[in-house]
Amino acid sequence: MKLSDIMTIYTVAIDILAIALLLTADCFAHRLIAAGMGVMGLVTLYFACEFRNCEKAIAKLWKGED
């Protein structure tokens, strides 16, 4: 399993938890925490996409393709 796949699974789990917390939040602090978790999930998803692109580039270099 590649690092980008692990990060994608992690992102989905964090986003599910953030949505659940947002739906059950009864005060501003919990809503703020849920929003922070959502932003963290989006940033992690961005890095997962970047790692996936890097993995493809490294695989091309490893195989010797241009």
Side-chain angles (χ1 to χ4, degrees), residues 7 9-10 20-24 29-30 32 34 43-44 46 48-49 52 54-58 60 64:
M7 289 182 72
I9 293 168
Y10 169 77
L21 182 60
L22 190 60
L23 291 175
T24 60
H30 289 144
L32 193 61
V43 170
T44 306
Y46 171 76
C49 291
R52 188 168 288 126
C54 291
E55 288 169 350
K56 288 179 184 177
I58 291 170
K60 283 183 181 180

Side-chain angles (χ1 to χ4, degrees), residues 25-38:
D26 58 349
C27 67
F28 180 73
H30 289 144
R31 289 188 182 120
L32 193 61
I33 291 169
M37 288 172 64

